[in-house]
Amino acid sequence: MTNTGISQRAALQAQIWSIANEVRGAVDGWDFKQFVLGTLFYRFISENFTAFIENGDENVHYAELSDDVITPEIKDDAIKTKGYFIYPSQLFVNIAKTAATNEQLNTDLADIFEAIERSAQGYASEHTIKGLFTDFDTKSRRLGSTVGEKCRRLASVIKGVERLNFGSFEHNEIDLFGDAYEFLISNYAANAGKSGGEFFTPQNVSKLIAQLALLGQTSVNKIYDPACGSGSLLLQAKKQFDAHLIEDGFFGQEINHTTYNLARMNMFLHNINYDKFNISLGDTLINPMYGNEKPFDAIVSNPPYSVNWVGSDDPTLINDDRFAPAGVLAPKSKADFAFVLHSLSYLSAKGRAAIVCFPGIFYRGGAEQKIRQYLVDHNFVETVIALPPNLFYGTGIPVNILVLSKHKPDTKTQFIDASGEAFFKKETNNNVITDEHIAKIVSLFEKKEDVSYTAVSVENNTIAENDYNLSVSSYLEAEDKREVIDIVKLNAEVAETVKRIDTLRADIDKIIAELER
């Protein structure tokens, strides 16, 4: 990141902290993030919609127009293109002007958000827009017990977001929405007793996963995340692939309603139009939404670790196209391999899937061992990468990345140990992998060359002989950095020291004898 990006990030964090201080004591930090992110989104779509209407004409000032001049034809055309409609009076800039004195600000905002969502009804964008503002509850008691308190605190957030001055959102070096979310999580998640890692993959980890999945591809049909959270992995894939062709856009499914809304907001914030992404709410394992869209050339995912799922309690699942080939279902208390098999089923013959995994799935026995056997025997595992500990908010687990491929040129599986200090830097609360670390890991992945203590490619039959263990530590010896001691030299030094001690003792005895005489 350049100095400009660093200064933008520092300014953003300072501004968010300033807003937080203004509402401190009234809104829990974890809940507060919903209001900040919702307001950021409201400002963005207002400015983005304004830019669309004005179309570069300096004589048109949409925010100054009367709502009455908007014809049904103008509205219809705008919704077909942008997916939603915002009248001039509903724009963020006009609401911000009177926010501090508006005694019904909370209900005005609620009406505006409802109107924006309602504008998409009956159009192709309805699925994408519906419920976007659900978590931005302007009437929530979390904002205060009276209307006056609610309005005052909402005004503080709106005026704070209004003061952000980074030019066009999409032209910033930083990921404005992602940085705001990451900053809020890092400051509040631990105190709120919630796992930030459950909702957000740190940006540089996302960057690594995206580069692994997209390596060597100049075009992909579409990108998919079966457990997309707030969309950070999909957006990093977009950033890494901006110079290439993504034919049919971005697809994701998310089970958590709050993060499902954040993911959709995140797409808009990164100027991905409604017809270029499709995010759905639901349980990917039980009710997958995109079976008719597969296969995908790139899959990126950080699914939840070791969560419960219905598994063998549903006898129909063993016949599911995703799980049937392995001949066994993932354990009911550990759904990790269910997500892996789901991703593999949705992967194209030319593509890659890069999946963050809990380390235990690579060495445990039972059903998980049988699934590993299926993956290895069919040559689907390209690489297993061990990452450093403490990269994610809310967990210090040193996770792994599993890279799946259906077009391997050999029958070897690569193991990379990127868990040592050469692959991260320590920061206050978490370890961080930098762009240099990412480049080093991607280079090891691409070249497939053996490097002592760091990378090795192992024949699949050797893995089979090792009970299909896929733990990195089983194939890469950790470098012993302890000082090497030369025993012969040490013994010689000890002997010389003993000799000198004997000489000194003789001299002391001689002196004592002379004194006694």
Side-chain angles (χ1 to χ4, degrees):
M1 181 180 292
T2 67
N3 289 334
T4 301
I6 293 171
S7 63
Q8 285 177 348
R9 175 175 286 174
L12 171 69
Q13 294 179 350
Q15 188 62 59
I16 291 173
W17 198 245
S18 172
I19 301 169
N21 284 333
E22 291 184 44
V23 297
R24 185 183 297 278
V27 183
D28 171 75
W30 190 252
D31 297 327
F32 168 72
K33 72 173 174 46
Q34 299 301 120
F35 300 111
V36 173
L37 296 174
T39 305
L40 271 173
F41 177 67
Y42 173 38
R43 175 182 162 181
F44 170 78
I45 63 169
S46 292
E47 294 179 1
N48 188 275
F49 190 81
T50 298
F52 164 73
I53 294 292
E54 293 178 351
N55 196 27
D57 188 339
E58 295 181 358
N59 296 315
V60 178
H61 302 283
Y62 185 62
E64 298 174 8
L65 296 180
S66 167
D67 291 356
D68 296 335
V69 305
I70 305 300
T71 65
E73 291 76 20
I74 291 174
K75 184 176 180 180
D76 180 68
D77 181 66
I79 298 172
K80 286 177 179 176
T81 305
K82 296 301 293 179
Y84 58 91
F85 193 87
I86 306 177
Y87 283 96
S89 65
Q90 298 171 333
L91 294 169
F92 174 88
V93 64
N94 287 329
I95 294 300
K97 285 178 183 177
T98 60
T101 57
N102 186 347
E103 296 181 355
Q104 55 183 37
L105 176 63
N106 67 326
T107 54
D108 285 350
L109 286 172
D111 291 342
I112 289 170
F113 298 157
E114 182 184 357
I116 293 172
E117 291 185 16
R118 194 171 57 247
S119 70
Q121 287 180 4
Y123 288 85
S125 58
E126 182 173 355
H127 167 73
T128 305
I129 304 296
K130 186 178 181 180
L132 262 180
F133 291 97
T134 300
D135 293 297
F136 192 172
D137 183 3
T138 62
K139 299 179 182 180
S140 170
R141 290 188 62 83
R142 293 176 298 179
L143 285 166
S145 57
T146 67
V147 172
E149 288 176 345
K150 291 180 175 71
C151 292
R152 186 168 64 253
R153 289 177 181 123
L154 283 169
S156 294
V157 176
I158 286 173
K159 299 303 286 186
V161 169
E162 182 187 35
R163 290 194 296 269
L164 293 173
N165 183 23
F166 296 141
S168 298
F169 281 88
E170 64 268 26
H171 293 150
N172 286 306
E173 283 194 27
I174 62 172
D175 174 356
L176 188 67
F177 202 59
D179 273 59
Y181 192 59
E182 192 165 2
F183 177 71
L184 288 163
I185 284 176
S186 63
N187 279 276
Y188 291 125
N191 294 334
K194 296 175 181 172
S195 169
E198 180 183 349
F199 303 111
F200 188 80
T201 307
Q203 290 178 40
N204 276 13
V205 178
S206 298
K207 186 182 296 186
L208 170 61
I209 294 167
Q211 289 190 17
L212 293 170
L214 294 165
L215 184 67
Q217 301 198 69
T218 55
S219 68
V220 297
N221 62 352
K222 42 200 156 187
I223 298 172
Y224 173 56
D225 184 345
C228 68
S230 58
S232 55
L233 274 168
L234 289 171
L235 290 165
Q236 275 299 335
K238 174 185 181 293
K239 283 188 175 183
Q240 302 309 311
F241 219 57
D242 266 348
H244 304 288
L245 179 65
I246 301 172
E247 296 167 0
D248 299 315
F250 306 85
F251 294 76
Q253 186 164 347
E254 171 57 32
I255 195 170
N256 180 286
H257 193 277
T258 297
T259 39
Y260 158 67
N261 281 338
L262 289 174
R264 292 188 294 161
M265 287 183 183
N266 225 345
M267 295 293 128
F268 281 111
L269 272 169
H270 287 80
N271 221 21
I272 301 174
N273 209 41
Y274 77 91
D275 56 346
K276 286 298 182 183
F277 74 88
N278 198 325
I279 309 291
S280 290
L281 177 68
D283 187 332
T284 297
L285 299 181
I286 304 304
N287 185 28
M289 301 301 293
Y290 298 113
N292 59 343
E293 293 287 348
K294 67 180 182 181
F296 295 87
D297 289 343
I299 297 176
V300 291
S301 190
N302 178 17
Y305 312 142
S306 301
V307 295
N308 295 325
W309 77 305
V310 64
S312 57
D313 285 347
D314 182 348
T316 66
L317 285 174
I318 194 61
N319 298 317
D320 190 299
D321 289 346
R322 299 168 296 165
F323 312 126
V328 65
L329 296 172
K332 289 188 294 183
S333 61
K334 302 175 182 70
D336 308 70
F337 267 125
F339 283 104
V340 169
L341 291 173
H342 171 89
S343 293
L344 179 66
S345 173
Y346 278 46
L347 184 63
S348 74
K350 63 169 277 194
R352 282 194 181 94
I355 308 166
V356 180
C357 296
F358 180 76
I361 72 169
F362 294 111
Y363 59 79
R364 292 189 296 236
E368 291 179 315
Q369 182 186 33
K370 292 178 180 177
I371 295 172
R372 292 197 304 272
Q373 178 176 351
Y374 164 72
L375 295 174
V376 172
D377 285 351
H378 288 78
N379 203 30
F380 292 137
V381 182
E382 181 170 0
T383 303
V384 182
I385 304 171
L387 292 183
N390 204 32
L391 291 177
F392 293 79
Y393 298 112
T395 177
I397 298 170
V399 300
N400 292 176
I401 296 178
L402 172 65
V403 183
L404 300 175
S405 171
K406 294 181 178 178
H407 61 274
K408 289 170 60 180
D410 55 32
T411 56
K412 294 181 178 181
T413 297
Q414 183 190 36
F415 297 90
I416 297 175
D417 186 357
S419 63
E421 292 186 1
F423 291 94
F424 70 91
K425 72 172 184 175
K426 293 181 181 292
E427 291 197 349
T428 306
N429 297 320
N430 286 83
N431 293 327
V432 174
I433 54 173
T434 65
D435 287 348
E436 290 74 21
H437 298 135
I438 292 171
K440 191 184 301 184
I441 295 171
V442 172
S443 176
L444 289 166
F445 173 72
E446 181 176 21
K447 293 178 180 177
K448 297 292 190 293
E449 295 174 354
D450 290 356
V451 178
S452 297
Y453 309 113
T454 304
V456 66
S457 292
V458 179
E459 286 287 351
N460 288 344
N461 56 15
T462 301
I463 296 172
E465 292 168 2
N466 194 23
D467 294 327
Y468 295 96
N469 189 318
L470 289 174
S471 293
V472 172
S473 59
S474 295
Y475 304 97
L476 278 168
E477 179 185 2
E479 183 176 4
D480 189 346
K481 294 187 177 181
R482 294 174 298 179
E483 182 182 357
V484 177
I485 299 174
D486 187 331
I487 297 299
V488 175
K489 181 180 178 182
L490 179 62
N491 285 337
E493 291 174 351
V494 170
E496 181 64 27
T497 301
V498 170
K499 184 178 179 181
R500 289 176 60 196
I501 290 172
D502 289 343
T503 301
L504 287 171
R505 281 176 177 168
D507 290 345
I508 291 170
D509 289 344
K510 184 177 180 181
I511 293 170
I512 291 174
E514 289 177 355
L515 290 173
E516 287 176 345
R517 286 198 301 271

